[in-house]
Amino acid sequence: MPTQKSLHSIPLTSLKGVGAVLEAKLHQLSIYSVQDLLFHLPLRYEDRTRAFPIRELKIGQQAQLQGEVVSCSVQFGKRRSLTCTITDKTGFISLRFFHFSAAQKDALETGKCVRCFGEVRRGRNGFEIYHPEYKILDDPSAAKTSDTLTPVYPTTEGLQQLRLRAIIGQASALLANHEVEDFLPESIRQRYGLPSINEVLHTVHQPPLHASSDWLLQDANPAQKRLAFEELLAHRLGMRKNRIDINQIAAPALTLNSQLIAAFLKQLPFTLTGGQLSASGEINEDLQSGEPMLRLLQGDVGSGKTVVAALTVLHAIGNGYQVALMAPTEILAEQHYWNFQDWFTPLGIHVGWLSGKTKGALRREQLENTLTGKTQLLVGTHALFQEGVEYNKLGLIIIDEQHRFGVHQRLALREKSLKDNLTPHQLVMTATPIPRTLAMSAYADLDCSVINELPPGRIPISTALIGSERREEVVARIEAACQKGNQAYWVCTLIEESEELQCQAAEVTWQQLSTALPHLKIGLIHGRMKPAEKVEIMAAFKAGEIQLLVATTVIEVGVDVPNANLMVIENPERLGLSQLHQLRGRVGRGQAASFCIMLYQSPLSATGKKRLLVMRESTDGFYIAEKDLELRGPGQVLGTQQTGMMTFKIADIVRDADLLDNVQDASETILQQHPQVIDRLIQRWLQGSETYIHV
Ligand code: ADP
Ligand code: MG
């Protein structure tokens, strides 16, 4: 094929009808060249290749129809509308217009032939389409239909679908004698059986005649596979490249201070599990290597990640380095602070505290101690890396994350702490297990350690699903159990992420339960209480002075009361499965059998039911996370939909899970043998998404 001017350098304005105004609109869609237009992929397709038989229509279907007008009149219902009924001999359907003119009504004369396109819905008397696109055909036998499916593109305000489609049509016509540069080396394409990019782009914009409307998203479609592969590869390369850049900088090589470690282990009331030991061993190797550690520590709720973190902290402190431990919320950070103080004070280690709420003299003191190095471990929230916080000799950063931090966030944090040309080590702990596919794509820049067992003696929690109509029965069961000496949580949830409303809801529930159960000692804890109050309540609960603790989801993280073996979760259908798993993990820590009652709001939707059944079936965090991913998608599972992270144009890590191993291999081949295409692949797919490319 003769390669003429590269499509990348053809300006948009060279296309017919594209002037400066339209060009600016296209820029809003991150389209800067003709080649970019070709990578602007359809969301779906419309089938305008034929008239669909009315009898075979389904509700919700987008279809092209053709038929003869049998009646057309103005209806006076709740809203005035023009209703035109047509038939194609297989059935009848009504076209409804809420905005219409007299001329329109007159034109839709009985006996005329109409071709229309729109979404089928259920009407009072059979099928209807609201405001279809339509055309009156004077000579139905001569009217042409399209030859291929009609692509529908994502667009932006002020740019009509028809216009955009026409422009992209021009661009794809150029594919006949121009080539889009294929960044996938021939050898890789052959190895994985992927078609060339030219072929793929051509069919994507002009799909095969009999393809269905979700053709592009279909599993077995080679065009989809090729594009998804390339997109996943670009993402992975972006992350691998970050990692390689980071490895260019040295990190302190830390030798193991066995005395300090031994002193710490001696004061623990248990011995480490095999899983904890092996994770800790992997971490120690990293710390000794002189290359920066960048490791993800995974383990199910209750597997004992905190102890492994503590060993890592001691490893750094034993070499005279400081450690920063950051948690995503105040409450989780506080839990860590109390915990580490208990463990480390007897060892003569100074633990500091810093959050956004630390103000005045206390803040000055903490900053001073951090700067002079008196503070050896500083625990807190994002405030740890704000302007004005200076470390003396930071050697290790530990992040306990609920959701994935952006790569750029972590890099900023790293730059801040760069001293003597040495970069600190980093350990990331996840609050929830991450399914393998998600780990392979979203965490490709991290090494991974998994604590694959729970401490011995844990009895699996039994979970019951009970509808809200049986609430009183549940209250009675809780009363009986507490009177026998058990302790229970009652967790209130809300749809809104508003902390304030959540706290109010918990207060109302607390009052109701206090009235209903006058003989029980009932406590209340939520995020808006003062830290000292929270500590007091938790201490009373731990000591058994409170029998029933009403709480918001603040107890999701960190809370540890082994005697509490009952939990009621109200409206569990509002939470993600991983979050439910975290919550439920607060019980089942003691010697007695534990129970969790999920008190759902009836009736449950079909998916809602499916999700809660997963909770009843399993207590395996990894399995639950897999199901959560299948049912909700990666954005929800990572909690990152706001940042746009892990949003792919075409790939879908559940559907395309089978590509990931090959993508991983291909990315290593490219890094070693074809480094020249890396930046261009990243540019092609991640343009405009700052997440990975701003190194
Ligand atoms: P998570 O992995 O969910 O953060 P934690 O670190 O909070 O778990 O540990 C959960 C509980 O298990 C804590 O009470 C902790 O003291 C206890 N624990 C940790 N390791 C062990 C072990 N090896 N044997 C017994 N109990 C342990
Ligand atoms: Mg934890």
Side-chain angles (χ1 to χ4, degrees):
M1 202 179 280
T3 317
Q4 301 179 357
K5 203 168 172 190
S6 138
L7 287 170
H8 192 62
S9 52
I10 301 184
L12 291 167
T13 46
S14 71
L15 297 176
K16 220 165 54 191
V18 183
V21 177
L22 194 49
E23 189 180 32
K25 288 268 175 244
L26 291 170
H27 288 178
Q28 281 175 17
L29 296 169
S30 296
I31 295 171
Y32 296 90
S33 69
V34 168
Q35 179 163 310
D36 292 343
L37 270 176
L38 293 169
F39 278 93
H40 194 68
L41 303 173
L43 290 168
R44 59 191 164 81
Y45 300 92
E46 290 173 353
D47 185 355
R48 295 170 188 255
T49 60
R50 60 184 172 137
F52 207 87
I54 293 176
R55 191 177 44 208
E56 290 171 27
L57 289 174
K58 295 202 175 63
I59 304 287
Q61 184 180 354
Q62 304 244 359
Q64 176 163 272
L65 313 169
Q66 189 167 316
E68 203 169 282
V69 176
V70 291
S71 72
C72 183
S73 62
V74 178
Q75 310 264 320
F76 299 90
K78 246 187 266 162
R79 275 175 85 189
R80 203 172 72 109
S81 69
L82 177 67
T83 302
C84 169
T85 303
I86 62 171
T87 181
D88 68 350
K89 309 259 159 46
T90 76
F92 294 86
I93 190 164
S94 299
L95 316 180
R96 282 239 269 177
F97 303 88
F98 296 100
H99 310 281
F100 58 93
S101 64
Q104 213 174 344
K105 175 172 181 288
D106 293 343
L108 288 166
E109 244 178 293
T110 305
K112 287 266 179 186
C113 181
V114 176
R115 176 181 296 166
C116 63
F117 187 91
E119 186 181 324
V120 179
R121 43 167 75 223
R122 193 190 302 283
R124 246 173 305 160
N125 310 307
F127 290 148
E128 291 188 350
I129 300 183
Y130 287 180
H131 284 271
E133 285 174 40
Y134 76 98
K135 205 160 49 181
I136 295 172
L137 304 178
D138 293 324
D139 181 2
S141 56
K144 275 179 62 179
T145 51
S146 15
D147 297 336
T148 60
L149 289 181
T150 309
V152 179
Y153 297 97
T155 183
T156 180
E157 218 186 305
L159 177 56
Q160 282 184 347
Q161 186 63 233
L162 275 175
R163 193 95 185 272
L164 181 59
R165 189 182 296 147
I167 299 165
I168 295 177
Q170 284 186 59
S172 63
L174 291 174
L175 281 170
N177 48 10
H178 293 71
E179 269 196 50
V180 171
E181 224 181 324
D182 204 329
F183 294 148
L184 290 195
E186 181 75 35
S187 60
I188 287 185
R189 271 173 37 210
Q190 274 182 1
R191 192 176 325 148
Y192 303 114
L194 302 169
S196 82
I197 195 75
N198 255 51
E199 217 178 303
V200 164
L201 289 175
H202 185 80
T203 46
V204 158
H205 296 290
Q206 281 153 2
L209 190 52
H210 297 296
S212 68
S213 55
D214 61 351
W215 173 76
L216 185 58
L217 299 178
Q218 272 176 7
D219 209 359
N221 176 353
Q224 184 272 327
K225 193 172 148 203
R226 152 82 207 224
L227 292 170
F229 189 97
E230 189 173 317
E231 182 173 32
L232 289 166
L233 183 66
H235 275 256
R236 188 172 176 95
L237 284 168
M239 282 193 277
R240 289 286 290 122
K241 210 167 145 296
N242 280 334
R243 179 59 192 269
I244 289 167
D245 290 348
I246 287 168
N247 282 0
Q248 303 304 311
I249 313 169
L254 305 173
T255 51
L256 203 60
N257 182 330
S258 358
Q259 256 178 317
L260 192 56
I261 302 278
F264 170 71
L265 290 177
K266 217 173 109 196
Q267 63 171 30
L268 287 182
F270 47 74
T271 52
L272 298 185
T273 63
Q276 286 170 321
L277 284 172
S278 72
S280 185
E282 286 166 357
I283 291 169
N284 289 342
E285 265 178 44
D286 287 353
L287 295 180
Q288 287 163 21
S289 72
E291 272 192 13
M293 170 169 77
L294 205 48
R295 186 171 285 278
L296 180 69
L297 177 60
Q298 287 202 68
D300 207 344
V301 52
S303 61
K305 294 182 285 288
T306 324
V307 177
V308 175
L311 291 168
T312 314
V313 174
L314 292 173
H315 194 150
I317 290 179
N319 284 259
Y321 281 91
Q322 279 176 305
V323 180
L325 192 157
M326 175 164 86
T329 64
E330 288 267 329
I331 291 173
L332 181 54
E334 272 165 32
Q335 286 282 336
H336 280 310
Y337 177 66
W338 299 121
N339 209 350
F340 279 92
Q341 256 212 337
D342 277 356
W343 280 339
F344 285 3
T345 312
L347 303 175
I349 292 172
H350 185 95
V351 183
W353 166 257
L354 193 69
S355 86
K357 291 187 187 150
T358 319
K359 296 266 153 64
L362 189 59
R363 184 178 176 85
R364 278 196 297 280
E365 186 193 335
Q366 295 296 346
L367 292 181
E368 172 74 16
N369 288 346
T370 306
L371 181 63
T372 59
K374 180 177 173 200
T375 294
Q376 293 162 286
L377 168 63
L378 185 62
V379 180
T381 58
H382 285 82
L384 296 188
F385 295 97
Q386 271 164 3
E387 204 82 17
V389 187
E390 294 266 355
Y391 292 83
N392 185 278
K393 204 178 170 196
L394 186 61
L396 169 68
I397 298 167
I398 298 184
I399 302 172
D400 194 354
E401 68 177 20
Q402 262 178 331
H403 305 313
R404 195 191 197 303
F405 283 102
V407 166
H408 59 299
Q409 271 169 301
R410 285 208 262 104
L411 289 172
L413 183 153
R414 183 173 275 284
E415 258 156 42
K416 160 125 199 147
S417 43
L418 203 63
K419 282 249 170 80
D420 311 325
N421 290 327
L422 285 181
T423 186
H425 297 283
Q426 262 187 59
L427 182 68
V428 179
M429 297 195 283
T430 62
T432 47
I434 301 168
R436 177 168 177 271
T437 50
L438 205 50
M440 281 174 83
S441 37
Y443 291 85
D445 51 342
L446 305 184
D447 299 310
C448 186
S449 294
V450 180
I451 305 179
N452 56 4
E453 61 185 316
L454 293 178
R458 299 265 167 91
I459 308 169
I461 307 161
S462 320
T463 298
L465 309 181
I466 299 184
S468 47
E469 66 281 355
R470 289 170 60 196
R471 194 171 197 274
E472 275 174 33
E473 201 181 303
V474 171
V475 172
R477 261 169 83 174
I478 293 291
E479 180 177 33
C482 286
Q483 278 170 344
K484 277 192 211 141
N486 296 294
Q487 284 181 284
Y489 295 99
W490 189 291
V491 186
C492 305
T493 61
L494 259 196
I495 306 172
E496 299 294 327
E497 285 268 302
S498 152
E499 205 190 344
E500 176 143 12
L501 288 175
Q502 228 183 67
C503 300
Q504 280 174 11
E507 265 166 34
V508 171
T509 306
W510 174 72
Q511 267 161 6
Q512 285 171 348
L513 289 171
S514 300
T515 314
L517 306 171
H519 307 299
L520 290 192
K521 279 162 279 173
I522 304 180
L524 171 68
I525 189 163
H526 59 63
R528 290 177 91 83
M529 291 163 62
K530 295 215 172 67
E533 273 179 279
K534 279 184 277 184
V535 172
E536 205 176 296
I537 298 276
M538 281 320 296
F541 191 51
K542 241 181 174 148
E545 289 154 20
I546 290 176
Q547 294 163 288
L548 176 61
L549 184 62
V550 178
T552 55
T553 49
V554 301
I555 62 152
E556 178 187 346
V557 281
V559 176
D560 197 28
V561 181
N563 191 47
N565 64 339
L566 285 168
M567 177 177 282
V568 176
I569 305 177
E570 271 200 88
N571 303 111
E573 68 279 3
R574 293 170 174 173
L575 301 182
L577 296 188
S578 294
Q579 206 183 352
L580 284 172
H581 179 63
Q582 284 291 314
L583 270 175
R584 184 174 61 179
R586 299 301 120 201
V587 295
R589 297 175 164 232
Q591 307 302 316
S594 298
F595 299 91
C596 177
I597 297 174
M598 303 210 168
L599 187 57
Y600 62 84
Q601 184 65 48
S602 308
L604 270 183
S605 69
T607 347
K609 180 152 191 202
K610 237 191 239 164
R611 296 176 57 229
L612 291 186
L613 283 174
V614 172
M615 296 307 296
R616 194 177 68 185
E617 256 166 44
S618 174
T619 51
D620 174 348
F622 281 95
Y623 173 79
I624 290 171
E626 294 271 357
K627 289 288 163 193
D628 208 10
L629 179 64
E630 272 171 38
L631 294 166
R632 292 200 308 163
Q636 296 278 340
V637 175
L638 290 172
T640 49
Q641 59 281 55
Q642 310 89 325
T643 65
M645 199 180 323
M646 290 303 291
T647 50
F648 295 107
K649 289 181 184 155
I650 190 160
D652 171 329
I653 59 165
V654 176
R655 182 198 59 207
D656 301 324
D658 57 327
L659 297 181
L660 288 168
D661 280 312
N662 289 345
V663 164
Q664 187 172 330
D665 293 345
S667 81
E668 295 313 306
T669 310
I670 288 186
L671 282 164
Q672 283 157 26
Q673 295 167 25
H674 310 277
Q676 73 285 1
V677 300
I678 297 173
D679 286 342
R680 302 161 84 185
L681 270 171
I682 295 173
Q683 162 83 12
R684 177 179 281 175
W685 289 97
L686 284 88
Q687 179 164 265
S689 102
E690 313 286 289
T691 320
Y692 302 113
I693 46 180
H694 267 246
V695 181

